């Protein structure tokens, strides 16, 4: 791993002391590890999110690692290359966001709950006899892909391949892989894109009530065969929607279980008072936010928190820091599911605010209801303590070893 990436990894593993120092320092702090100005206070984070014309999202998905030439050549044989909704601005953003909003209404989310409930029961039922388990691998990384896969309209049999392809895309862009491994990862990503493209073409011929049909309809109005550009754009959006939908929710499932079990008395509290489950989810999302932040880039010179930024300056908008800001939250470093409700920023705010938060929270709720009812004795395995994954966009335990 090169020096830059090693420094970034150390930063990512525990960003909280860095955030605190930045909040205590006047103005904005430039962080070389992130190659961006850190926006750390809740008030300043909201300010940036209120001004999308000044703070463009064009750089939101800047990867930690640029794939090599050979891997890029493989990627060129897939479908993609278009800017995702989260990295677009203005009219282009509104156009991409419309089908996502239509596919994730309260009614759509409600309609997915019977399936999600059934998947929660099946995954948990499969775990029970063992008496111990690694909950990231066997639960948290499985449920969200199945649920978002269903809303997209994927056949259940295709979900594992699509989710695996999505993990490969993440490792290609965020992990240091050797050149051979990069090529293999790129091949897996391309295979996933071909599968998503085959769905898009099938829905063009035969639309259904699902998110793939919504996306095809919105991005390629009309009938007829999809053009190559349309296929690239649709596959890009589907790939991103899938990733936005499952990585984040897996991460929050993991961190919520981790912090409730680390503060075992609070786990006991939700076992005894399931009415506290929604508050526990909000507190976990606030305390250790899966999406620690996204970048923005200034479109013109602006003054933020007393720092003058030129046009083209990269800022890292740290939701994870805003959620620990002592001016916005009392005792922010304390995990307390009984605290007064806090207006946290774990799901963002403003025009890019998360359209999937309700879907994510429902999966958390179903999970905690089922786990507290069927595994009230759940504990962290003291012999195998959890380590966090170094990531600013999917912060979660790498593994979560538990016993019951
Ligand atoms: C715990 C789970 C989740 C967390 C913590 C989370 C967090 C966020 C955050 C912070 C943003 C704002 C990004 C920005 O301002 O640049 C965002 C946007 C987004 N989220 Fe989520 N999200 C979660 C679950 C989901 C789910 C389940 C879906 C889809 C089914 C989803 C789809 C999206 C999309 C498409 C965007 C981009 C919206 C836009 O740019 O207009 N998210 N999410």
């Amino acid at each position: 791993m090169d020096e830059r990436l090693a420094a970034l990894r150390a930063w990512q593993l525990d960003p909280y002391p860095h955030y605190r120092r930045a909040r205590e320092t006047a103005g904005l702090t430039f962080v070389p590890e992130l190659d961006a100005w850190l926006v750390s206070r809740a008030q300043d984070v909201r300010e940036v999110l209120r001004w999308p014309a000044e703070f463009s999202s064009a750089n939101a998905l800047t990867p930690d690692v640029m794939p090599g030439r050979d891997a890029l050549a493989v990627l060129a044989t897939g479908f993609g290359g278009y800017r995702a909704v989260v990295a677009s601005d203005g009219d282009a953003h509104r156009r991409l966001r419309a089908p996502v909003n239509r596919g994730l209404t309260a009614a759509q989310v409600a309609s997915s709950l019977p399936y999600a409930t059934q998947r929660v029961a099946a995954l948990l039922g499969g775990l029970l006899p063992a008496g111990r388990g690694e909950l990231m691998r066997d639960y948290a990384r499985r449920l969200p892909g199945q649920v978002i896969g269903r809303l997209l309209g994927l056949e259940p049999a295709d979900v594992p391949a699509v989710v695996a392809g999505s993990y490969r895309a993440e490792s290609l862009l965020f992990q240091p892989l050797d050149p051979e491994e990069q090529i293999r990862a790129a091949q897996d990503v391309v295979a996933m894109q071909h599968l998503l493209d085959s769905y898009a073409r099938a829905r063009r011929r035969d639309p259904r009530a699902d998110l793939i049909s919504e996306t095809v309809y919105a991005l390629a109005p009309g009938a007829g065969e999809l053009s190559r550009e349309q296929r690239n754009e649709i596959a890009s959006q589907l790939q991103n929607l899938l990733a936005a939908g499952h990585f984040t929710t897996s991460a929050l499932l993991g961190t919520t279980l981790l912090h409730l079990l680390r503060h075992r008395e609070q786990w006991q509290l939700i076992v005894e008072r399931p009415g506290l489950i929604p508050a526990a989810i909000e507190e976990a999302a606030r305390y250790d936010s899966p999406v620690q932040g996204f970048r923005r880039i200034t479109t013109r010179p602006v003054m933020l928190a007393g720092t003058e930024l030129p046009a083209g300056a990269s800022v890292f908008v740290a939701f994870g820091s805003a959620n620990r800001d002592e001016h916005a939250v009392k005792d922010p470093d304390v995990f307390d599911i009984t605290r007064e409700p806090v207006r946290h920023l774990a799901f963002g705010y403003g025009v890019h605010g998360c359209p999937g938060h309700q879907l994510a929270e429902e999966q958390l709720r179903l999970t905690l209801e089922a786990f507290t009812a069927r595994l009230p004795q759940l504990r962290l395995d003291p012999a195998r303590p959890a380590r966090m994954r170094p990531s600013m966009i999917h912060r979660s335990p790498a593994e979560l070893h538990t016993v019951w």
Side-chain angles (χ1 to χ4, degrees):
M1 197 188 307
D2 68 26
E3 250 174 60
R4 181 193 66 85
L5 208 54
L8 177 63
R9 288 292 178 259
W11 213 95
Q12 291 170 330
L13 278 175
D14 186 10
Y16 295 110
H18 302 285
Y19 292 156
R20 189 180 318 112
R21 268 195 300 281
R23 288 195 304 269
E24 288 166 0
T25 308
L28 302 181
T29 302
F30 187 81
V31 178
E33 288 86 347
L34 299 174
D35 194 22
W37 294 90
L38 180 64
V39 184
S40 58
R41 297 176 204 94
Q43 184 187 332
D44 300 332
V45 166
R46 283 182 194 276
E47 188 74 9
V48 171
L49 300 176
R50 260 196 291 270
W51 299 105
E54 281 71 20
F55 292 95
S56 156
S57 285
N59 62 341
L61 293 179
T62 306
D64 288 352
V65 180
M66 204 50 196
R69 217 183 39 199
D70 293 342
L72 288 175
V74 174
L75 288 179
T77 65
F79 291 91
Y82 272 69
R83 210 168 255 188
V85 57
V86 71
S88 58
D89 297 313
D91 287 344
H93 172 254
R94 280 186 280 281
R95 172 174 170 269
L96 297 176
R97 173 89 186 208
V100 180
N101 286 345
R102 278 199 295 274
L104 289 171
T105 58
Q108 298 284 358
V109 172
S111 75
S112 72
L113 291 188
Y115 178 72
T117 307
Q118 182 210 324
R119 293 320 304 154
V120 168
L123 288 170
L124 182 54
L127 287 169
L128 285 177
R132 58 176 52 243
E134 201 284 90
L135 296 183
M136 290 310 298
R137 183 194 57 212
D138 295 336
Y139 187 87
R141 291 204 190 101
R142 290 190 171 198
L143 178 72
Q146 295 176 350
V147 173
I148 183 71
R150 167 88 161 203
L151 272 169
L152 278 164
L154 301 178
E155 293 299 329
D158 286 332
V159 168
V162 173
V163 169
S166 173
Y167 273 99
R168 295 294 266 167
E170 195 209 24
S171 49
L172 188 59
L173 298 175
F174 291 93
Q175 310 287 330
L177 305 179
D178 65 44
E180 293 296 305
E181 193 53 29
Q182 279 198 0
I183 292 173
R184 280 194 291 275
Q187 286 164 342
D188 293 342
V189 173
V190 166
M192 167 192 59
Q193 292 173 340
H194 279 267
L195 189 54
L196 291 175
D197 173 63
S198 70
Y199 271 95
R201 283 183 298 139
R203 292 299 189 274
R204 174 62 146 202
R205 291 190 295 273
D206 179 16
R208 297 189 191 169
D210 61 30
L211 249 166
I212 297 183
S213 302
E214 285 289 358
T215 306
V216 173
Y217 179 75
L219 302 189
E225 287 285 297
L226 295 170
S227 68
R228 178 77 201 192
E229 286 72 27
Q230 288 171 329
R231 291 166 67 186
N232 277 333
E233 185 177 34
I234 291 166
S236 300
Q237 302 317 317
L238 296 179
Q239 182 180 334
N240 179 258
L241 190 56
L242 187 95
H246 79 86
F247 282 121
T248 47
T249 313
S250 299
L252 187 56
L253 284 166
T255 45
T256 303
L257 288 167
L258 173 68
H259 294 303
L260 284 168
L261 296 174
R262 271 192 182 155
H263 302 83
R264 192 68 181 44
E265 73 294 345
Q266 303 198 43
W267 173 263
Q268 198 54 40
L269 207 53
I270 59 166
V271 168
E272 286 157 19
R273 291 170 55 195
L276 281 172
I277 286 175
I281 298 166
E282 295 306 317
E283 178 62 350
R286 177 200 74 80
Y287 178 77
D288 211 2
S289 310
V291 178
Q292 286 286 308
F294 269 114
R295 286 187 169 72
R296 297 288 194 268
I297 185 163
T298 52
T299 56
R300 61 173 181 81
V302 279
M303 179 76 99
L304 181 67
T307 298
E308 264 189 64
L309 297 170
S314 186
V315 296
F316 186 83
V317 187
F319 310 118
S321 175
N323 291 341
R324 297 278 192 115
D325 184 341
E326 30 297 277
H327 292 287
V329 187
K330 189 162 172 282
D331 298 329
D333 295 331
V334 175
F335 179 75
D336 177 7
I337 66 170
T338 64
R339 69 166 63 244
E340 285 292 303
V342 172
R343 271 178 71 215
H344 66 71
L345 285 158
F347 292 99
Y349 168 76
V351 293
H352 288 279
C354 181
H357 69 98
Q358 205 188 339
L359 181 64
E361 289 178 325
E362 289 292 6
Q363 293 177 69
L364 263 296
R365 180 181 63 77
L366 293 174
T367 297
L368 292 184
E369 284 175 0
F371 274 60
T372 49
R374 300 188 67 186
L375 283 182
Q377 70 282 29
L378 186 67
R379 287 183 185 280
L380 293 174
D381 182 346
R384 307 181 75 177
R387 283 173 302 106
M388 298 308 282
R389 277 180 91 215
S391 163
M392 296 311 269
I393 49 174
H394 310 130
R395 182 169 170 80
S396 73
E399 294 170 352
L400 190 60
H401 293 280
T402 53
V403 290
W404 54 86

